Amino acid sequence: MSANTRPPGPPTQTYDSAFLKACRREPVPHTPVWFMRQAGRSLPEYLKVREGVPMLESCMRPELVTEITLQPVRRHKVDAAIYFSDIVVPLKAIGVDLDIKPGVGPVVAEPIRRREDLARLRDLTPDDVAYVTEAIGALTGELGATPLIGFAGAPFTLASYLVEGGPSRNHENTKALMYGDPGLWADLLDRLADITAAFLKVQIEAGASAVQLFDSWVGALAPDDYRRSVMPASAKVFDAVAGYGVPRIHFGVGTGELLGLMGEAGADVVGVDWRVPLDEAARRVGPGKALQGNLDPAVLFAPREAVEEQAGRMLDAAAGLEGHVFNLGHGVLPTTNPDALTRLVEYVHTRTAR
């Protein structure tokens, strides 16, 4: 932690929130709810303020970040806000030549595949992302007792984008590097772990009450590969922010076989996608961790009664958990009816009220 850091633990005004209590596996007044990708995509008010503004630019304008982050809290009455950004923002901030292309995703101009390419990944400093500090300062003032979740992309997923040059279905270049040059691979992930940890520290020191590490592509790996080639870097990130005392959430897609290892990496809360029931996920993760998830995002396209039936089954599976944060098993799909999300929050709050 820097000399200017705040005392360990979440900000005082959010400490007793249902979300943070669930993360700490303490009794809650109701099961807390938030949604991945709740800030944006499906909201008409988001589309309006983003009109004509490229994605990366929108992540670097504090007033826009503040407005977009607050929109789902106002509309849905969720129990936590998620900071509006993108996982490649810290890479852009240190000078990596990349852009987010509509309909494609992050595209890197010069992929990193040789040892000399590592020199392009310099350390990230708070000055590189001063707009993050400014936006979080404004957000925590507006949110009051509602926690703000900071986030970052995990080293493996960032490495995948950097090595492939963009999104990939099979991650063939990534795996070729991981298997073919394990020394370079380890150094790449270690460098990315330092950048990621620095980015999370900026968010925590600015006022975030919790952080989530997104490992979007890590489900492409077998458990042995994860343990040997990825887990050390993820653990380094979690260790780097452990002293702040804020909950650390770990989430990946298609990670049913990795859930126990993802918990071992250092998370306080393990996110679960929709493919594994929460009671089974709890068995795989083991004691001492809260779980987050895990309604299939596509369920929200069904009639209200069907959505509530599926959510009810999920809540039944979560009944015996040490701590549970209700979420989807992945992000909100862009064409989701926002009213379905609002109704789902109300349903979960009402059904689990204690």
Side-chain angles (χ1 to χ4, degrees), residues 156 173-183 185 221 225 228-230:
F156 175 81
N173 293 304
T174 304
K175 291 184 177 182
L177 179 61
M178 183 179 74
Y179 294 129
D181 193 340
W185 173 258
L221 296 181
D225 291 330
R228 177 179 59 253
S229 303
V230 174

Side-chain angles (χ1 to χ4, degrees), residues 158-215:
L158 294 180
S160 294
Y161 279 118
L162 289 171
V163 174
E164 299 292 340
S168 172
R169 183 180 298 273
N170 298 311
H171 308 281
E172 53 266 45
N173 293 304
T174 304
K175 291 184 177 182
L177 179 61
M178 183 179 74
Y179 294 129
D181 193 340
L184 174 56
W185 173 258
D187 290 344
L188 171 60
L189 260 67
D190 191 66
R191 182 76 57 88
L192 290 170
D194 289 337
I195 294 166
T196 299
F199 190 53
L200 289 179
K201 287 178 180 181
V202 167
Q203 295 175 70
I204 297 169
E205 293 187 11
S209 293
V211 290
Q212 175 159 306
L213 195 64
F214 281 87
D215 217 345

